[in-house]
């Protein structure tokens, strides 16, 4: 019985203290960019304190993912990956924002966080 309790304690401790691998890249510049983006949204969405923190962390998480896409892909594939990433980010923001805030967020996103565009050569 004592062994079982010790094993359960260890398992819960490991799970409880594990870190999100996405957020382990603690880049100060990305954190400041996330804060800046969140401030812009906050002006329009009127986030409460809890929403502000959650929103900022979510933006930072997706900035880290976006940086990886910029480093690993080029051209149309990069644009496709960024589009999928932005779509996933929008879906995850639904868990943080109220419905009226979320509707406004979707309208503001193209202005505050525009998607990259591929330059094409004109013939």
């Amino acid at each position: 019985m004592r062994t079982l309790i010790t094993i359960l304690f260890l398992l819960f401790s490991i799970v409880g203290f594990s870190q999100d691998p996405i957020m382990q890249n603690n880049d100060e510049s990305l954190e400041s960019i996330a804060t800046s983006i969140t401030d812009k949204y906050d002006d329009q969405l009127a986030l409460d304190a809890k929403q502000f923190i959650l929103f900022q962390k979510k933006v930072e998480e997706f900035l880290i993912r976006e940086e990886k896409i910029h480093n690993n892909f080029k051209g149309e594939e990069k644009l496709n990956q960024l589009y999928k990433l932005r779509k996933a980010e929008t879906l995850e923001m639904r868990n943080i924002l109220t419905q009226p805030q979320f509707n406004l967020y979707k309208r503001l996103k193209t202005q505050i966080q525009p998607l990259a565009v591929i330059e094409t050569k004109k013939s």
Side-chain angles (χ1 to χ4, degrees), residues 81-105:
Q81 292 294 324
L82 288 172
Y83 176 76
K84 289 177 189 175
L85 182 70
R86 292 293 169 91
K87 198 171 180 181
E89 181 181 22
T90 301
L91 289 174
E92 290 199 26
M93 289 302 183
R94 176 174 257 151
N95 297 330
I96 298 170
L97 304 171
T98 64
Q99 189 60 46
Q101 286 175 322
F102 181 71
N103 293 338
L104 182 55
Y105 165 77

Side-chain angles (χ1 to χ4, degrees), residues 2-16:
R2 186 175 192 165
T3 308
L4 179 63
I5 292 172
T6 305
I7 291 172
L8 288 175
F9 176 75
L10 287 173
L11 287 175
F12 286 120
S13 298
I14 291 169
V15 171

Side-chain angles (χ1 to χ4, degrees), residues 3-82:
T3 308
L4 179 63
I5 292 172
T6 305
I7 291 172
L8 288 175
F9 176 75
L10 287 173
L11 287 175
F12 286 120
S13 298
I14 291 169
V15 171
F17 292 110
S18 65
Q19 295 180 357
D20 184 1
I22 297 297
M23 296 304 288
Q24 287 180 1
N25 182 1
N26 193 9
D27 189 356
E28 292 295 322
S29 64
L30 290 180
E31 186 175 338
S32 65
I33 293 169
T35 302
S36 173
I37 291 171
T38 304
D39 285 336
K40 290 176 185 176
Y41 280 111
D42 188 34
D43 291 341
Q44 300 292 320
L45 299 176
L47 302 170
D48 64 29
K50 183 177 179 183
Q51 284 178 316
F52 188 92
I53 293 168
L54 292 172
F55 194 97
Q56 180 184 2
K57 292 297 180 191
K58 192 58 68 178
V59 168
E60 186 177 356
E61 175 186 331
F62 278 92
L63 284 174
I64 293 167
R65 291 180 184 181
E66 182 176 334
E67 189 175 74
K68 289 178 183 176
I69 290 172
H70 284 291
N71 292 335
N72 296 326
F73 297 98
K74 294 194 183 297
E76 191 174 345
E77 180 63 23
K78 179 168 121 176
L79 187 60
N80 289 336
Q81 292 294 324
L82 288 172

